[in-house]
Amino acid sequence: MKEIYLRDYVKPAFSIESVNLTFELEEEQTDVTNVMKFTKLDETQKHLRLDAMDLELLKLYINDLEIDESRYIIENESLTVLNVPASFTLKVVNRIYPHKNSELEGLYKSGSIFCTQNEPEGFRRITPYLDRPDVMSVFTTTVVANREKYPVLLSNGNKAQCHDSFDERHGVTWVDPHKKPSYLFALVAGDLGSISDEYTTASGERIELNIYCDLGNESKCYHAMKSLKEAMLWDEEKYGREYDLEIYNIVAVDSFNMGAMENKGLNIFNSAYVLADTDTASDANYMGIQSVIAHEYFHNWTGNRITCRDWFQLTLKEGLTVFRDQCFSADLNSSEVQRIEDVKGLRERQFVEDASPTAHPIQPKSYISMNNFYTSTVYEKGAEVIRMIHTLLGEENYRKATDIYFEEFDGQAVTTDDFLWAMSEASGLDLSAFKNWYHQSGTPKLKVDENFEKGVYTLNLTQIVPTTVDGKTQNPFYYPLKIALLDDQGKEILHETLIVSKMQEEFTYGGLKAKPTLSINRDFSAPIVVEQEGVDFSFLMKHDKNSFIKYEAAQAFGVETLESIMNGEDINPAFIESFGHLLDLDLDLSYKALLLELPSVSTLMQRQEKVDFEPIYEAKEKLSIALASTYKEKLLKLYTAHHEVHAAINSISMGKRSLKNRVLRILSALETEEIALLTQTQYKSSKSMSDRVIALDILENIHSNFSQVALSDFYNKYKDETLVMNKYFSILAASNRVGTIDRVQALQNDPVYDEKVPNLVRSLIGVFARNYKHFHSKDGHGYAFVADKIITIDKINPQMASGLAGAFKIYSRINETNKTLIEKELKRVISTQDLSKNTFEIISKILK
Ligand code: PHE
Ligand code: ZN
């Protein structure tokens, strides 16, 4: 399979001044007429090679003259027009079959709605084009379809004209005045419901805002609308960026491979990130919608107006936009909780990826399928890299620097080096050593040694730089390290931001009365792993003012305690004691809920030499029971104090729910009648979806007769709400009960389940593949089942299949028994006929 390399980048040989598209949408086929004005940029190029995938060419014209087969060549993925002049108009008429498109790339149908997904390389499945992000052009699009079936016809930009004269068909022409790459093209046609609003920009422009959805779901769009307006205001205040078209449209569709897509003026969303009401959406759903709506909106400047030169630059727009949406969420909600959630996500997904055979720098060097590089490394680690730049520059210089970036590169397709240039230009900072973050993979470690002598405290730091996937050594990293020194009362003696850049660093602090306690990597100022022996975690938990370090210390103490249990030791009473201390603290409730969470299976797994899950969850169970029985009364009190039946969506109620549900989960370790009853009552009486699904999940995982009753009740209530059914499938797929795999297999025949809908596949099969107990069961059935699914789904939707294959990334690090089992299954998958390049790339890397 062909591998694409960054080092092979060459500039486009042609530019396209304008694109004029007409879509004739029919049930069985769509004809696309595409008129493009080309100019040759490289005189040595005689022919024009366009990207074209699975297209049926009907007609081809140069400057209005039809040309025949002697003038062009159609190959696998291209259309080459021979001997073209210096500038010319090319008109292509081609036919596509959206109703047969199950990959969900290009033009496809989600239910009865026509929609598109073109990032990164979907546009070539619509019409022949220079389908690369550094070719930017102005698009005019006319969509024609049956009036009754498709009353709503949308594309990018502003609405220019309606064509009502074609009897049962009608059409609309859209003009997007901003130059854009083809991956931002979008089209939607359907019988859609909508809600509308407006927003007035800082400079007084009135923008029409619309959110479209399936008829009947309109009332679920208000939270998304509110979030959009919050995002528009935030970007004006924080970055001085205003919206630049008359209309902003968002469309929610059920079949979508990812979360959402930032198409210019016409965002297309997975309905999971738009639709919410108190009866059907959990608190996490509300937060997710706010952040994804903002993320796509922020792309208008970081991604659309300034885009990527090539796909190796993906983190240019994604890392930056994730950083922007994280800051937005931190500003609108609890910033301490947001930061912890960001780091938790990074560690659970990105650190695992960084320690696997698919590890890659945030700017990869090569790919087989670009679809495989929409990773937590490019996104979340990319955001950490921008955050470090923000820390290094400081708020004021960072704003200056982004102003320069927008000023200098507006309307262009640029590289991460261009971005870094703007950052240096504004601050005078030399970022050349910092660039390693873009080109090196793996998670750096930092070994900490302390020394105290005669009033002088010495901090010795040693970088442990990971090797690449092929075992090559890499260079030290450059990063800001926020630290503080605390006295024996826990008071801050000093705090500062150190710069770590060499393999070895030494910092000394004199004039101290006693050895201070170190508080290191505050706020998680760098995405690294700190290794330090003999830390007094309970001291930091009690005294550190830094909300992140308090959390970090609680987690680290939990890890230490769990690992000693795994080594056969008794539970450390000091941990139990400091947990009790946390219960009494008067803190933000969501933050407190995080402090009370035990380290995840993933956290412990990442520290194992040879991964084995059983000892991990046995230790977790043991510790949970000890905590729950020691603090039963206190926990019950906390539960009652914070339990409310109503379901308000505001930070106070959400905080109460997250604390109360954390407490309920801890108590559930006891598996007593009393706790089962409490959970059952919560399931029955609460008006909030979070309360309901958490109760359902707990009931599923303890011995309770009510669990089956609750499950059928839930099913009957929500079987017509696919988004809610995702939660149902997830709970069952994540279950620790005996027989989970049989139930998961049976659920594939449930009338609600549909293998063509990515959300459903993710919540049933994807969640099962993260069920440590059953996926990794030592009879090998879990692996065999997921391997089978990869093979079948690969034929339908390769992107979904390669996503599932990611569950096997643990291969090289797992114990021998499981390793042998995985190997057998992966070899079976990779020898399948016609495997997609997506799935091939992931599995071949894992096996290597
Ligand atoms: N660019 C989208 C985002 O991050 C993600 C995406 C990529 C969606 C590829 C679909 C396909 O917002
Ligand atoms: Zn994005």
Side-chain angles (χ1 to χ4, degrees):
M1 302 228 181
K2 195 172 160 222
E3 193 148 356
I4 317 281
Y5 291 87
L6 168 57
R7 59 163 189 261
D8 293 341
Y9 174 83
V10 276
K11 285 194 187 142
F14 293 84
S15 66
I16 308 178
E17 275 78 275
S18 65
V19 186
N20 217 301
L21 295 162
T22 306
F23 289 80
E24 288 282 351
L25 303 175
E26 305 269 4
E27 285 318 296
E28 301 291 307
Q29 84 221 18
T30 290
D31 287 352
V32 185
T33 304
N34 172 7
V35 182
M36 296 166 276
K37 286 206 171 107
F38 282 95
T39 302
K40 209 178 266 189
L41 300 173
D42 175 357
E43 288 304 322
T44 67
Q45 298 286 316
K46 289 211 318 234
H47 316 310
L48 168 69
R49 184 199 171 279
L50 299 171
D51 300 298
M53 280 264 285
D54 299 332
L55 300 178
E56 204 174 297
L57 184 66
L58 301 180
K59 281 182 159 48
L60 197 53
Y61 306 78
I62 289 186
N63 295 332
D64 282 333
L65 282 178
E66 186 164 359
I67 57 175
D68 64 22
E69 277 144 37
S70 66
R71 290 288 309 277
Y72 62 84
I73 301 168
I74 295 181
E75 274 164 338
N76 250 348
E77 300 190 356
S78 65
L79 162 68
T80 305
V81 188
L82 303 171
N83 300 311
V84 293
S87 73
F88 58 98
T89 300
L90 186 74
K91 174 165 152 187
V92 189
V93 186
N94 68 276
R95 180 164 293 172
I96 48 179
Y97 301 91
H99 67 291
K100 289 189 191 159
N101 180 347
S102 62
E103 287 114 315
L104 316 184
E105 276 182 282
L107 179 62
Y108 67 94
K109 287 199 96 173
S110 169
S112 57
I113 308 170
F114 279 100
C115 62
T116 52
Q117 174 51 46
N118 294 323
E119 184 180 5
E121 298 181 334
F123 196 68
R124 62 190 64 186
R125 296 167 184 270
I126 293 179
T127 186
Y129 201 73
L130 294 174
D131 192 13
R132 45 187 287 170
D134 56 352
V135 174
M136 297 174 83
S137 191
V138 177
F139 286 69
T140 301
T141 308
T142 302
V143 189
V144 182
N146 180 285
R147 186 195 312 271
E148 229 162 81
K149 280 197 169 132
Y150 306 99
V152 177
L153 303 174
L154 307 172
S155 190
N156 316 88
N158 300 318
K159 201 177 199 167
Q161 217 183 328
C162 294
H163 315 273
D164 285 320
S165 54
F166 333 157
D167 42 293
E168 83 276 11
R169 291 172 74 72
H170 72 146
V172 177
T173 298
W174 292 81
V175 177
D176 182 358
H178 299 281
K179 279 181 142 206
K180 66 166 174 290
S182 50
Y183 83 87
L184 291 172
F185 173 82
L187 174 162
V188 168
D191 189 1
L192 300 166
S194 68
I195 66 162
S196 301
D197 204 330
E198 58 176 46
Y199 179 85
T200 305
T201 66
S203 40
E205 297 294 331
R206 268 175 47 173
I207 320 283
E208 176 186 333
L209 312 175
N210 302 302
I211 301 184
Y212 293 91
C213 58
D214 278 328
L215 288 165
N217 279 337
E218 297 85 343
S219 65
K220 294 184 183 162
C221 296
Y222 290 99
H223 177 64
M225 185 64 91
K226 175 166 176 272
S227 305
L228 174 61
K229 289 158 73 178
E230 289 166 343
M232 295 178 89
L233 182 63
W234 189 88
D235 216 14
E236 290 180 352
E237 289 176 346
K238 284 287 148 103
Y239 283 83
R241 298 295 117 196
E242 290 182 16
Y243 187 60
D244 54 7
L245 287 167
E246 293 158 19
I247 305 190
Y248 195 86
N249 284 326
I250 291 176
V251 181
V253 300
D254 288 332
S255 290
F256 200 75
N257 278 336
M258 308 277 253
M261 181 62 211
E262 68 264 25
N263 316 303
K264 184 81 188 188
L266 177 54
N267 289 180
I268 298 180
F269 270 64
N270 185 326
S271 55
Y273 290 104
V274 176
L275 305 178
D277 62 18
T278 50
D279 183 50
T280 56
S282 67
D283 295 349
N285 292 145
Y286 275 91
M287 301 299 270
I289 290 168
Q290 188 188 48
S291 106
V292 179
I293 291 271
H295 179 98
E296 306 312 331
Y297 176 73
F298 296 155
H299 267 315
N300 191 50
W301 276 95
T302 53
N304 299 4
R305 289 189 67 133
I306 304 182
T307 194
C308 304
R309 187 194 70 172
D310 55 75
W311 290 119
F312 296 101
Q313 317 297 326
L314 183 60
T315 201
L316 171 81
K317 74 176 176 81
E318 295 304 345
L320 177 54
T321 305
V322 172
F323 174 67
R324 274 150 57 69
D325 84 55
Q326 289 177 347
C327 294
F328 165 79
S329 295
D331 283 354
L332 270 74
N333 311 295
S334 151
S335 60
E336 53 198 0
V337 169
Q338 181 64 34
R339 186 63 189 132
I340 294 169
E341 296 286 2
D342 296 343
V343 176
K344 257 177 81 175
L346 185 82
R347 286 175 169 158
E348 303 266 297
R349 292 185 294 273
Q350 202 282 321
F351 278 21
V352 173
E353 182 163 74
D354 245 352
S356 85
T358 58
H360 51 275
I362 64 168
Q363 180 158 311
K365 294 172 178 53
S366 75
Y367 59 78
I368 294 177
S369 168
M370 187 52 212
N371 276 327
N372 287 332
F373 285 84
Y374 288 79
T375 60
S376 56
T377 297
V378 170
Y379 276 65
E380 273 82 34
K381 188 176 180 176
E384 292 299 324
V385 169
I386 305 295
R387 186 181 295 268
M388 286 190 283
I389 295 175
H390 178 269
T391 307
L392 291 167
L393 268 63
E395 181 64 33
E396 204 175 307
N397 274 336
Y398 174 76
R399 172 61 195 269
K400 263 196 224 155
T402 56
D403 283 351
I404 292 179
Y405 176 65
F406 293 126
E407 174 77 18
E408 195 69 27
F409 301 113
D410 190 12
Q412 297 177 44
V414 305
T415 64
T416 56
D417 279 343
D418 294 324
F419 178 80
L420 289 172
W421 170 84
M423 298 297 115
S424 293
E425 184 69 13
S427 60
L429 219 70
D430 178 4
L431 291 171
S432 46
F434 184 81
K435 279 189 190 172
N436 285 344
W437 284 106
Y438 284 83
H439 308 295
Q440 301 192 153
S441 62
T443 307
K445 291 184 181 168
L446 186 68
K447 196 167 157 297
V448 179
D449 291 298
E450 299 166 286
N451 187 37
F452 184 74
E453 230 175 302
K454 299 191 187 123
V456 180
Y457 173 75
T458 310
L459 186 56
N460 278 298
L461 304 176
T462 311
Q463 288 205 44
I464 305 169
V465 179
T467 57
T468 65
V469 172
D470 343 304
K472 293 201 188 76
T473 56
Q474 304 186 104
N475 296 316
F477 288 86
Y478 179 106
Y479 52 83
L481 185 68
K482 290 192 191 169
I483 65 141
L485 298 181
L486 312 182
D487 70 13
D488 54 2
Q489 301 299 305
K491 260 184 51 202
E492 253 175 48
I493 304 167
L494 64 90
H495 64 95
E496 62 177 335
T497 305
L498 306 175
I499 300 293
V500 174
S501 64
K502 297 190 283 295
M503 272 313 216
Q504 294 271 358
E505 302 273 4
E506 188 180 285
F507 301 93
T508 53
Y509 303 87
L512 299 170
K513 290 196 197 77
K515 180 176 181 282
T517 297
L518 174 68
S519 166
I520 190 168
N521 207 18
R522 291 185 135 193
D523 302 328
F524 201 67
S525 60
I528 59 168
V529 172
V530 174
E531 290 188 343
Q532 188 187 0
E533 309 251 297
V535 182
D536 186 350
F537 296 122
S538 77
F539 182 85
L540 287 169
M541 272 165 78
K542 284 198 187 108
H543 300 295
D544 204 318
K545 297 276 178 298
N546 189 272
S547 59
F548 180 77
I549 295 297
K550 224 183 191 37
Y551 166 80
E552 193 74 334
Q555 285 287 299
F557 201 7
V559 168
E560 188 186 83
T561 308
L562 286 163
E563 285 179 346
S564 71
I565 299 173
M566 286 158 72
N567 288 330
E569 290 163 38
D570 287 340
I571 298 173
N572 180 0
F575 180 77
I576 304 276
E577 193 196 315
S578 60
F579 190 85
H581 166 77
L582 290 180
L583 287 178
D584 296 332
L585 290 182
D586 181 18
L587 296 165
D588 172 275
L589 299 180
S590 308
Y591 175 58
K592 185 163 171 174
L594 283 170
L595 288 180
L596 296 177
E597 188 175 23
L598 288 183
S600 66
V601 174
S602 165
T603 305
L604 293 154
M605 171 274 273
Q606 289 177 50
R607 297 166 53 89
Q608 286 180 317
E609 198 70 46
K610 276 280 167 213
V611 173
D612 201 355
F613 295 102
E614 262 163 54
I616 299 179
Y617 41 74
E618 276 166 19
K620 279 194 76 169
E621 198 173 302
K622 209 166 161 188
L623 185 55
S624 305
I625 293 172
L627 293 170
S629 46
T630 312
Y631 297 112
K632 189 179 151 210
E633 296 314 319
K634 242 187 207 179
L635 290 165
L636 280 170
K637 258 199 208 132
L638 271 176
Y639 181 88
T640 326
H642 298 292
H643 177 63
E644 8 176 79
V645 168
H646 68 272
I649 303 298
N650 57 49
S651 61
I652 293 174
S653 281
M654 283 175 164
K656 285 185 183 171
R657 275 194 292 278
S658 55
L659 180 63
K660 168 199 75 181
N661 284 318
R662 166 74 48 227
V663 163
L664 186 62
R665 277 197 193 280
I666 300 168
L667 283 167
S668 74
L670 297 172
E671 302 216 27
T672 56
E673 197 58 36
E674 181 190 10
I675 302 304
L677 210 65
L678 192 66
T679 314
Q680 175 177 343
T681 310
Q682 171 165 322
Y683 175 80
K684 283 192 191 154
S685 62
S686 175
K687 301 266 179 298
S688 132
M689 181 49 91
S690 284
D691 281 358
R692 227 173 275 139
V693 287
I694 289 167
L696 199 62
D697 185 44
I698 292 174
L699 290 167
E700 169 62 25
N701 289 289
I702 62 176
H703 303 291
S704 155
N705 300 329
F706 184 68
S707 132
Q708 201 42 54
V709 183
L711 279 171
S712 353
D713 173 76
F714 193 85
Y715 184 92
N716 291 324
K717 223 184 251 161
Y718 294 113
K719 58 179 180 303
D720 298 326
E721 305 257 8
T722 359
L723 289 179
V724 185
M725 287 312 285
N726 288 318
K727 302 181 199 300
Y728 174 87
F729 289 127
S730 298
I731 288 172
L732 289 167
S735 171
N736 65 21
R737 285 203 184 203
V738 186
T740 289
I741 186 168
D742 303 321
R743 280 206 284 170
V744 169
Q745 280 172 323
L747 282 168
Q748 295 180 95
N749 301 319
D750 191 285
V752 175
Y753 187 73
D754 181 350
E755 209 155 64
K756 292 200 189 65
V757 178
N759 288 354
L760 289 164
V761 175
R762 274 189 284 261
S763 52
L764 189 64
I765 318 294
V767 169
F768 177 77
R770 271 176 276 132
N771 181 329
Y772 296 116
K773 194 162 187 171
H774 294 291
F775 175 59
H776 296 286
S777 88
K778 297 214 155 78
D779 59 13
H781 293 174
Y783 297 153
F785 169 60
V786 174
D788 284 344
K789 294 326 296 174
I790 292 172
I791 294 170
T792 18
I793 293 169
D794 193 58
K795 305 243 178 300
I796 304 170
N797 182 337
Q799 217 177 319
M800 278 307 302
S802 70
L804 291 175
F808 290 107
K809 279 181 192 173
I810 189 91
Y811 172 69
S812 57
R813 298 190 48 239
I814 207 161
N815 66 79
E816 289 310 317
T817 318
N818 287 82
K819 195 169 176 178
T820 315
L821 294 167
I822 295 182
E823 185 175 334
K824 178 174 146 235
E825 297 305 331
L826 290 186
K827 288 198 163 145
R828 180 162 69 89
V829 177
I830 206 158
S831 60
T832 310
Q833 282 262 305
D834 299 323
L835 198 67
S836 70
K837 58 181 187 176
N838 305 52
T839 304
F840 173 83
E841 179 171 34
I842 298 293
I843 298 189
S844 62
K845 280 183 179 161
I846 295 175
L847 283 174
K848 204 156 93 184

